[in-house]
Amino acid sequence: MEERPDGLPDEGDDRKRTGRIKDFAYEKTPKKLKNATDLQVRFRTGFVYVALSVLCILISDWTTLVLLVATAGITAGEFYYMLRSDAKLPNEMLGIIAAMLYPVSVFFLGLNGALFVSLALLLALIMWYVFWMRARVPDVGVSFFGAAYCGMLLSGLMIIRTSLPQPWGGVLALCIFLSVWANDSFAYLVGSKIGKHKLAPRTSPKKSWEGFFAGLVGSAAFWCVMTLIPGVTMSIPQAIVFGLISGLMGVLGDLAESRIKRNSGFKDSGTIMPGHGGLLDRCDSLFLVAVTSAILLVGGGCIPYVG
């Protein structure tokens, strides 16, 4: 692969390679699946993603861990790819490894595990900064932020999943996912129909206040469902408040990723999910919701903390 004068891979070569991969995949696609409409492609991709997520969450703690590790690694890679186009030089290798280690460390060591990974990552980045003369302080910050954003925040789901015995820990974690999906779905359906007042026109022009409030209702509804799960001690009023807070965090996470894409000049964070974009586009709301939910449930005495 040719390199630009600054040492970075040539973007034209990346596009050519991506095009060859797409052409190869299209040739191997059965005829009945070719020439699908955008809606059909979006539905098929979404169905596979949802089905895989639900199965991994419900089967066991270990399959949930695999799902979170894979999600952290892929989304971190997409994050760093976008930031490179924004004239940043993050240490992708250290960042992706740390992002994937966060859920693993929390699974085995609890919150102390996240502290150990953070310390190890910080020390490794300091050494990289000292011995690699092209690295700048913003590059160190971006490298650390990407790992914490995609890995550490997501680890909140590991705390929730392991807090209750099988199968209720999985059901509780799944409800967190469902609350995020309900937030997004309600906001899209209502916003696309009656949305007239822009929520954040400069960051995400399609979002409306009408959709925002509808999304909060969807989030609160699934938090109320959580009160029925054995082992969860939470009243309906408490669930509504926690659901609203969780919904707010989901919107904030969505807007944060939209701001990252806008600053980097990207429409989608990647192409791994045809019809949807990148995995980061699908998980942007989940990151803040995961850690916020863990704090609310454990701090509110709703679930036991297994550290």
Side-chain angles (χ1 to χ4, degrees), residues 182-183 186-191 209-219:
N183 192 351
F186 278 46
Y188 173 77
L189 291 174
V190 173
W209 281 103
E210 291 84 354
F212 167 73
F213 288 116
L216 293 184
V217 172
S219 176

Side-chain angles (χ1 to χ4, degrees), residues 16-285:
K16 291 177 182 177
R17 187 173 70 249
T18 301
R20 288 195 297 268
I21 294 173
K22 288 182 177 179
D23 291 340
F24 176 79
Y26 184 77
E27 290 176 3
K28 299 299 182 181
T29 301
K31 289 184 179 180
K32 64 180 181 179
L33 297 181
K34 290 183 178 180
N35 301 319
T37 64
D38 291 342
L39 182 61
Q40 288 174 326
V41 172
R42 186 178 179 86
F43 174 78
R44 291 167 185 168
T45 305
F47 177 80
V48 172
Y49 168 67
V50 171
L52 184 62
S53 298
V54 171
L55 286 175
C56 288
I57 294 168
L58 291 180
I59 290 174
S60 71
D61 291 347
W62 289 96
T63 54
T64 302
L65 178 62
V66 170
L67 175 68
L68 296 184
V69 169
T71 300
I74 294 171
T75 54
E78 292 176 346
F79 173 85
Y80 292 130
Y81 178 75
M82 289 194 295
L83 267 293
R84 275 190 174 275
S85 298
D86 193 29
K88 304 295 189 300
L89 293 173
N91 191 316
E92 294 169 282
M93 183 183 71
L94 288 178
I96 292 175
I97 291 174
M100 297 173 72
L101 284 177
Y102 271 116
V104 176
S105 65
V106 170
F107 179 62
F108 287 104
L109 301 173
L111 292 179
N112 288 334
L115 179 62
F116 295 150
V117 172
S118 297
L119 180 59
L121 175 60
L122 184 58
L123 291 176
L125 288 174
I126 290 175
M127 292 178 62
W128 171 65
Y129 174 70
V130 169
F131 292 105
W132 196 56
M133 293 297 104
R134 292 181 60 198
R136 303 160 297 176
V137 171
D139 301 327
V140 175
V142 166
S143 300
F144 189 89
F145 175 76
Y149 176 57
C150 299
M152 183 170 64
L153 297 183
L154 198 60
S155 299
L157 284 171
M158 206 69 252
I159 294 176
I160 294 172
R161 179 62 175 85
T162 56
S163 64
L164 299 177
Q166 185 71 1
W168 303 118
V171 173
L172 180 59
L174 179 60
C175 282
I176 299 297
F177 272 80
L178 292 175
S179 73
V180 174
W181 296 337
N183 192 351
D184 291 342
S185 299
F186 278 46
Y188 173 77
L189 291 174
V190 173
S192 61
K193 294 295 183 181
I194 63 172
K196 301 200 180 285
H197 303 87
K198 300 299 182 182
L199 175 63
R202 293 185 179 181
T203 301
S204 187
K206 294 183 179 180
K207 286 183 172 53
S208 66
W209 281 103
E210 291 84 354
F212 167 73
F213 288 116
L216 293 184
V217 172
S219 176
F222 274 97
W223 273 79
C224 290
V225 173
M226 294 182 202
T227 61
L228 304 176
I229 299 175
V232 176
T233 307
M234 182 168 54
S235 65
I236 292 295
Q238 191 177 18
I240 292 174
V241 172
F242 286 177
L244 294 176
I245 294 173
S246 175
L248 287 171
M249 292 298 102
V251 174
L252 179 60
D254 193 342
L255 291 175
E257 200 248 352
S258 295
R259 177 70 187 274
I260 292 171
K261 290 191 296 186
R262 184 169 292 275
N263 286 350
S264 303
F266 280 79
K267 181 178 182 294
D268 297 314
S269 64
T271 58
I272 195 172
M273 298 181 66
H276 292 263
L279 186 58
L280 185 57
D281 294 319
R282 300 280 63 79
C283 298
D284 50 9
S285 300

